[in-house]
Amino acid sequence: MLNTSNNNTRKMIVIHGGHFSSLDGFYEEVSKVLMRDTDWKVGTLDGFDDILYGGFGVFENKEEIEIIWKESQKSQEDLGLKATQEFYENKIKQGKPFNRELIQQKLNDLTEGKGQTLFEILVEIIESHTNITLTLS
């Protein structure tokens, strides 16, 4: 059977890596492009994952969309090792409700070269949604 799906029917969403240089900046950018005309703002990794299910914001549940992450190389550096270490260290300092042991293990993995950076975590979150195609440019 021929696949007759046409990529032109996909909704295209652009994240501009040039618009931010931190995780908070990323949240602001995706809030602008994905949650336009809503009062809800992304502020956590789980919250980012939640909005990718659709149904509120700019696309519907299970709607085929393409996310183009422009200047992704800049984002990969901005949300790389240093930013990820700071992210985990802040959670450890903050303590509750965070599991310090788990976060310390993630920090240890990161410093040993086995853990994921924030950029890699964000990419993995996007790619876990089968209706979303991610293009890094």
Side-chain angles (χ1 to χ4, degrees):
M1 187 166 147
L2 284 173
N3 181 353
T4 56
S5 73
N6 181 345
N7 280 350
N8 295 336
T9 61
R10 273 204 174 130
K11 192 171 280 182
M12 195 165 29
I13 294 164
V14 179
I15 298 171
H16 289 277
H19 292 176
F20 60 89
S21 57
S22 67
L23 185 59
D24 286 340
F26 172 82
Y27 291 150
E28 281 180 40
E29 173 73 1
V30 296
S31 292
K32 268 189 264 176
V33 298
L34 293 171
M35 301 304 294
R36 202 172 45 234
D37 304 326
T38 70
D39 291 336
W40 202 74
K41 299 277 183 249
V42 178
T44 64
L45 293 170
D46 288 338
F48 175 57
D49 186 38
D50 288 346
I51 65 165
L52 294 178
Y53 285 100
F56 46 95
V58 299
F59 68 97
E60 293 307 312
N61 242 342
K62 301 287 183 205
E63 183 178 356
E64 293 283 318
I65 65 165
E66 179 177 6
I67 294 178
I68 298 172
W69 191 331
K70 293 192 174 195
E71 297 181 56
S72 60
Q73 188 62 46
K74 177 188 176 301
S75 296
Q76 190 168 7
E77 291 163 20
D78 291 340
L79 302 172
L81 193 61
K82 187 172 183 289
T84 309
Q85 285 173 317
E86 289 171 8
F87 174 76
Y88 288 140
E89 286 165 358
N90 288 337
K91 288 200 178 309
I92 290 168
K93 274 185 218 152
Q94 202 174 337
K96 285 183 179 170
F98 302 109
N99 178 337
R100 284 186 175 162
E101 290 79 23
L102 177 66
I103 292 167
Q104 184 63 56
Q105 185 57 55
K106 289 182 178 211
L107 182 58
N108 294 347
D109 288 348
L110 189 70
T111 52
E112 293 168 16
K114 296 184 293 193
Q116 288 180 301
T117 64
L118 288 169
F119 178 79
E120 292 165 335
I121 292 167
L122 292 168
V123 167
E124 182 177 84
I125 289 170
I126 295 168
E127 290 178 338
S128 73
H129 294 266
T130 55
N131 60 309
I132 299 174
T133 302
L134 175 63
T135 303
L136 300 176
S137 68

